[in-house]
Amino acid sequence: MKADLPLSRRSFLRTSGIAASWVMAKMPLSLVDGLKIVRDNSNAIIEPLRERATRKGLLYGAAASFTQLRNDAPFRSHYTKECGILVPEFELKWSTLRPSKTVFNFKLSDWLLSFAQSNAMLFRGHTLVWHEDLPEWFHKTANKTNTQSLMEKHITTVVGHYAGKVHSWDVVNEPILPWQGQPGGLRNTPWLKFLGPEYIKTAFHIAAEADPKAILVLNQNHLEYENDGASACRKALLALLEKLTASKTPIHALGTQAHLIGNNRSLDHRKYCTFLNDVASLGLKIIVTELDVSDQHLPYNIPRRDSIVAETYSDFLTAVLQEPALIAILTWGLSDKYTWLSRYAPRADGFPVRPLLLDTQYQRKLAWTAVSGAFEKK
Ligand code: XIL
């Protein structure tokens, strides 16, 4: 495949190979272990994540946006090299898709689907039913009598528009939040308020009707760590999944978002793997849907910070890659240049955050090495 690369692409690979060798020389040996150098006729290059994941029967990809991929050519080049599945960060959410109750605007998401298809990538849909990113008109008009038809119309139109072209859909996003005290630990959302707990089951049935081929996913956050909140989330979610699967709801996978914290050492491998295995025993697949590692409270020192972030990726992936039901890992972004955490979890010292695998110049960081090494060790 490399032999037919255009000259410019081959020289780029050679440069990145040299840069990567330089980085390797600086790496702590523990992180170099497992980093496979793939040599071919264009000198040393380090196998991109999408190829490394595929060799292990997995998918690797990242969230990205229309603006990032359309306007930033260097980012686009690194993204197509590293990612085998694309999930739009914004373009399939209500606020972008639905400027008004009667208008669906697929322009940006269609461009992203076409981009994925032309770069031999799969395409993930995120997300159909969520309490955030709902447009103003929804908040002004939704009520007990019209929300069922609003949800039905949305799912049927959007999933139908992409039928047969989407790998998986996050049908319901973040439905669990036990510390709000609702029955079943459900999050208090407009969907729960107007439709009751059955909204989750209904959403999956409508989505399955609109695209029988797509993997239908319940996507959840706060599942990874060993603390009261996360263990309550895992408990409530497992009970919900048991009810959904027992009632023959067309749900096929759990999405575990995995927004990790760099200085949090409370990931209990045994408990998290047992939870994932309990989910898998219901016949569900597992997708890591939004992996990133916040360095908000880590030391300023960049080599130290990068090393802790990399070790956090490595520790989490060592656990999750043990689960046979795992089918894909997506990071929530690929480069620090475009991470949502620069707004959502900024550093008190005001310095740029460094949660992802490539830095703002698209150079592979220790975090990239940790993820590629974890795939290698699977
Ligand atoms: C985030 C985006 O990345 C931000 O840019 C936006 O401002 C808010 O939403 N869990 C999810 C994602 O399911 O949709 C969120 O994405 C991050 C948390």
Side-chain angles (χ1 to χ4, degrees):
M1 187 269 273
K2 302 281 185 306
D4 58 2
L5 286 169
L7 199 56
S8 56
R9 180 109 167 99
R10 292 182 67 180
S11 59
F12 167 78
L13 286 174
R14 190 172 296 116
T15 315
S16 68
I18 293 166
S21 313
W22 178 82
V23 170
M24 272 183 59
K26 304 276 175 198
M27 274 178 227
L29 279 180
S30 61
L31 281 172
V32 174
D33 175 39
L35 193 57
K36 189 169 183 299
I37 305 292
V38 179
R39 290 193 179 287
D40 71 357
N41 57 1
S42 60
N43 290 334
I45 59 167
I46 296 185
E47 191 179 30
L49 292 174
R50 67 185 290 181
E51 293 172 25
R52 199 179 285 264
T54 306
R55 276 197 293 108
K56 301 292 180 162
L58 294 169
L59 288 166
Y60 168 75
S65 76
F66 166 79
T67 309
Q68 294 160 12
L69 291 170
R70 208 273 305 267
N71 300 345
D72 187 335
F75 174 73
R76 183 169 59 240
S77 160
H78 287 276
Y79 187 89
T80 51
K81 183 170 68 161
E82 299 286 1
C83 297
I85 183 167
L86 187 165
V87 61
E89 183 175 359
F90 310 102
E91 294 77 3
L92 284 171
K93 292 174 178 174
W94 277 64
S95 60
T96 308
L97 274 182
R98 306 287 302 275
S100 75
K101 185 174 176 180
T102 53
V103 175
F104 287 82
N105 180 355
F106 290 110
K107 185 168 169 286
L108 303 186
S109 45
D110 283 355
W111 187 94
L112 286 166
L113 172 63
S114 160
F115 176 85
Q117 290 172 332
S118 1
N119 289 284
M121 291 173 191
L122 295 173
F123 190 66
R124 290 211 76 230
H126 175 84
T127 176
L128 297 169
V129 178
W130 191 28
H131 59 283
E132 291 194 25
D133 231 81
L134 291 168
E136 201 45 44
W137 65 261
F138 179 93
H139 292 296
K140 284 183 179 155
T141 55
N143 57 45
K144 261 190 183 311
T145 52
N146 68 8
T147 298
Q148 172 75 21
S149 59
L150 274 175
M151 181 172 82
E152 199 150 337
K153 174 80 176 159
H154 184 79
I155 297 175
T156 303
T157 306
V158 176
V159 176
H161 182 81
Y162 293 111
K165 300 170 185 167
V166 171
H167 168 267
S168 51
W169 271 106
D170 289 336
V171 176
V172 178
N173 195 32
E174 304 177 354
I176 296 285
L177 200 69
W179 46 92
Q180 282 185 331
Q182 291 292 324
L186 292 179
R187 183 193 290 266
N188 199 5
T189 70
W191 309 104
L192 180 70
K193 182 178 161 190
F194 295 134
L195 300 177
E198 289 302 292
Y199 85 88
I200 298 172
K201 181 178 176 180
T202 306
F204 276 90
H205 278 289
I206 300 166
E209 186 73 27
D211 185 356
K213 287 188 183 162
I215 296 171
L216 302 180
V217 184
L218 188 153
N219 195 41
Q220 183 62 43
N221 53 354
H222 304 315
L223 294 174
E224 291 76 27
Y225 287 122
E226 202 38 52
N227 56 52
D228 293 348
S231 34
C233 262
R234 290 193 296 268
K235 188 173 174 219
L237 178 65
L238 195 55
L240 172 62
L241 293 175
E242 283 164 351
K243 269 172 66 179
L244 290 170
T245 50
S247 60
K248 306 282 181 259
T249 304
I251 177 171
H252 312 120
L254 166 68
T256 177
Q257 290 187 6
H259 291 295
L260 306 179
I261 311 288
N263 44 11
N264 186 324
R265 288 278 177 263
S266 74
L267 175 70
D268 179 318
H269 285 205
R270 187 185 56 78
K271 289 186 178 173
Y272 187 57
C273 290
T274 301
F275 164 71
L276 295 178
N277 200 255
D278 289 345
V279 170
S281 67
L282 298 172
L284 300 177
K285 298 296 183 189
I286 306 286
I287 300 176
V288 174
T289 51
E290 306 183 15
L291 179 60
D292 53 19
V293 177
S294 169
D295 64 346
Q296 182 178 36
H297 301 302
L298 294 185
Y300 161 70
N301 177 281
I302 289 180
R304 176 89 190 105
R305 200 175 351 145
D306 282 1
S307 176
I308 295 171
V309 165
E311 283 159 12
T312 307
Y313 276 108
S314 190
D315 182 59
F316 172 74
L317 290 173
T318 301
V320 78
L321 284 168
Q322 292 171 40
E323 174 48 60
L326 179 73
I327 58 173
I329 292 178
L330 294 97
T331 47
W332 201 246
L334 179 63
S335 162
D336 295 336
K337 181 174 177 182
Y338 296 121
T339 176
W340 74 302
L341 292 176
S342 51
R343 300 181 305 283
Y344 184 76
R347 290 178 56 86
D349 60 16
F351 284 98
V353 293
R354 296 172 61 89
L356 290 169
L357 309 190
L358 306 186
D359 67 17
T360 55
Q361 307 304 314
Y362 315 123
Q363 293 305 306
R364 288 165 169 170
K365 296 160 59 187
L366 291 180
W368 184 95
T369 308
V371 174
S372 59
F375 280 138
E376 206 48 39
K377 285 179 194 156
K378 177 180 176 4

